[in-house]
Amino acid sequence: YTVLRLTNKAIISSKTKEELLDSICEIAVTHGGFSMAWIGIIDGYDVLPVSSAGDIHGYLNNIIVRVDESEYAKGPVGVSAKSGQVAFVNNVETNQNFAPWRPAAVRCGYKSLAVIPIMQNDHCVGVFGIYSDQEDAFDTQILELLSSLGDDINSVLAHIQTEEKRLIAEAKLQQLYLAIEQSKSAIAISDTEGLVEYVNPYYEKLTGYNEDE
């Protein structure tokens, strides 16, 4: 509940996607009592870490996680990414599908983990993984809260993406406007009824009519 509350607070205050992702990982470790948290983006078939907190043992340095049909896609990260649902392992030493990452997890003291999919437009674009030093750390109630957390994260990332696209579009429009304003060609824009809505400075110079006229 603390992680959920503070994450929603971070959602409100974060200005960029990078800042939000870093805050989410830090909250999970500092306030959620988890050993380590990381967020990875899907690049082709690979899942690449972009944010993390608590990785003091370098678990993520050489991690190989994929979303194909290989053994590196059978763990909770691959399952979550392909299903779009929260996936978990409550005992890394006995779970057969976790074998490729077991030695590193045991060395770091990780005993269980859960993975939340990061979705955009019904497509998984990344994952949020949290690790515990306790076995069976993820019961039904915790998994439901993590699913709710995932929904909140997905909503704000979609909003950030929309805002980023809007800013890019505005910048391109501003560039176009400046190009037209400074053009040495006479340019006029009218509506479908022939009413002139805009003329550039060179049009005024060439015709002798100003924009109001």
Side-chain angles (χ1 to χ4, degrees):
Y1 283 112
T2 300
V3 170
L4 190 61
R5 175 177 59 83
L6 292 176
T7 297
N8 282 318
K9 186 176 180 180
I11 284 172
I12 296 173
S13 61
S14 297
K15 303 300 182 183
T16 65
K17 180 168 61 177
E18 291 73 21
E19 180 183 347
L20 174 62
L21 299 184
D22 288 343
S23 295
I24 291 171
C25 292
E26 189 63 38
I27 289 168
V29 172
T30 304
H31 301 281
F34 295 105
S35 300
M36 191 267 285
W38 69 286
I39 291 175
I41 60 169
I42 297 175
D43 182 13
Y45 290 109
D46 295 310
V47 182
L48 307 177
V50 294
S51 298
S52 67
D55 186 26
I56 60 176
H57 302 288
Y59 178 82
L60 299 173
N61 289 349
N62 299 303
I63 192 171
I64 300 175
V65 188
R66 296 177 62 80
V67 290
D68 52 17
E69 301 303 319
S70 70
E71 63 175 343
Y72 295 104
K74 295 181 179 179
V77 171
V79 171
S80 180
K82 290 192 282 188
S83 68
Q85 303 292 325
V86 176
F88 66 99
V89 168
N90 263 330
N91 190 326
V92 302
E93 295 193 42
T94 60
N95 187 282
Q96 294 181 351
N97 292 328
F98 197 74
W101 310 278
R102 183 177 295 127
V106 171
R107 174 177 56 82
C108 296
Y110 306 144
K111 296 185 178 180
S112 60
L113 68 148
V115 179
I116 306 167
I118 297 175
M119 309 292 293
Q120 290 185 7
N121 299 321
D122 297 324
H123 178 68
C124 185
V125 297
V127 295
F128 173 34
I130 51 179
Y131 293 64
S132 173
D133 60 2
Q134 303 293 322
E135 293 180 4
D136 301 316
F138 301 96
D139 58 20
T140 301
Q141 185 180 26
I142 293 293
L143 293 172
E144 289 177 353
L145 289 173
L146 292 179
S147 180
S148 177
L149 176 63
D151 291 339
D152 293 341
I153 294 171
N154 294 335
S155 295
V156 73
L157 287 178
H159 173 74
I160 290 175
Q161 183 183 45
T162 300
E163 183 66 11
E164 288 176 345
K165 288 181 178 179
R166 183 186 68 81
L167 293 174
I168 291 172
E170 285 186 354
K172 288 182 178 179
L173 285 173
Q174 181 65 17
Q175 288 177 333
L176 178 61
Y177 172 76
L178 292 174
I180 292 175
E181 281 283 288
Q182 299 169 10
S183 175
K184 296 304 180 183
S185 298
I187 299 172
I189 300 174
S190 72
D191 62 16
T192 56
E193 302 300 322
L195 178 64
V196 175
E197 298 178 333
Y198 168 84
V199 297
N200 71 339
Y202 193 75
Y203 186 97
E204 294 179 337
K205 179 179 180 182
L206 183 68
T207 64
Y209 292 100
N210 62 37
E211 188 171 12
D212 290 338
E213 293 174 300

